[in-house]
Amino acid sequence: MGIRQRKRRRPSGPTQITARLAIPFVGDITGTWEPADAERSAAWELYLELVTRVSVEELDAEEGFLREALSSFYTFFDTTREILRRYGPEVAPPLAPGHVSFGVLAVTVLNRVLRPLLSSWHPRLTAYESRRPDGVDPVAWEQRWEHADALRARIAEVRVTLASLAENLREVADVSDLIRLPAPRSPESTAPSGRVSPEGSQS
């Protein structure tokens, strides 16, 4: 008896959305997106990269590691180019005025948001890191950098763009919101109805 192959679900989703992309110092880019199946598949792949490799949530002042954030953006840059290369012209068709595509949104983020950040801040941070004395913790050394707050502010601006990109990708890929997931609840806060909670009150 042969092994039954599980059928792959064909890409599905809306036939049209109004895409909005927030660009620092430029404003929002808005356009109609009528995705083809290849764009829906590419949207899911890029959305997965955003929610698992690149944080799109703002960090508190004492959280995070600037080098780790820049390295994550580099990885996302390379991965986005690979997805564009793999899916080819189908994700960047000729468009009428006022329309956008996966290719337009992805390349806009790469060239107008990520590239300026990385080309400016990567060498500056690298030069500072090279002066770290032996025995000094890398995170502690990074926090002493006079430009740390400025870079953190730029990273926060980039995250706004990536969050808006993620929302467009999520809508086209027709998947659940994997960014704003509900926080896990403690067992004490999820007592079944009718049972006595640890505080002795009826739930």
Side-chain angles (χ1 to χ4, degrees):
M1 185 175 179
I3 299 175
R4 295 181 61 186
Q5 296 291 327
R6 184 176 180 180
K7 293 182 67 175
R8 249 180 112 178
R9 183 172 75 98
R10 282 178 54 82
S12 62
T15 59
Q16 176 180 302
I17 72 165
T18 299
R20 292 181 177 86
L21 193 62
I23 306 293
F25 310 114
V26 174
D28 289 356
I29 294 176
T30 304
T32 300
W33 185 1
E34 299 175 341
D37 283 350
E39 291 180 276
R40 294 191 183 97
S41 297
W44 162 245
E45 290 191 27
L46 197 58
Y47 182 68
L48 188 60
E49 289 295 322
L50 280 168
V51 301
T52 59
R53 291 189 179 224
V54 180
S55 174
V56 291
E57 297 181 1
E58 186 175 355
L59 297 178
D60 294 334
E62 298 302 318
E63 292 181 331
F65 188 24
L66 299 178
R67 168 53 62 197
E68 183 178 358
L70 290 186
S71 297
S72 183
F73 290 154
Y74 260 114
T75 299
F76 181 73
F77 195 104
D78 290 340
T79 300
T80 302
R81 287 194 303 186
E82 175 56 32
I83 291 174
L84 287 166
R85 186 180 298 113
R86 178 152 30 91
Y87 283 96
E90 286 188 75
V91 298
L95 299 169
H99 286 65
V100 298
S101 64
F102 177 90
V104 166
L105 297 178
V107 172
T108 297
V109 169
L110 295 189
N111 289 342
R112 300 183 67 175
V113 180
L114 287 181
R115 189 186 299 278
L117 171 76
L118 295 173
S119 62
S120 173
W121 286 99
H122 172 69
R124 296 168 70 180
L125 180 56
T126 299
Y128 176 73
E129 290 170 331
S130 69
R131 301 195 299 270
R132 179 171 60 89
D134 292 340
V136 176
D137 178 73
V139 176
W141 178 249
E142 185 183 271
Q143 290 173 345
R144 299 179 198 172
W145 191 29
E146 61 181 340
H147 301 297
D149 288 344
L151 175 53
R152 184 178 290 274
R154 287 290 291 113
I155 289 173
E157 292 167 352
V158 169
R159 285 195 172 105
V160 171
T161 299
L162 295 180
S164 65
L165 174 63
E167 180 57 27
N168 292 315
L169 298 175
R170 183 202 65 76
E171 188 174 353
V172 163
D174 193 28
V175 295
S176 300
D177 187 338
L178 301 180
I179 297 175
R180 292 179 288 271
L181 296 173
R185 301 177 64 185
S186 63
E188 290 80 5
S189 64
T190 57
S193 177
R195 294 185 61 182
V196 178
S197 67
E199 291 78 12
S201 60
Q202 293 286 330
S203 55

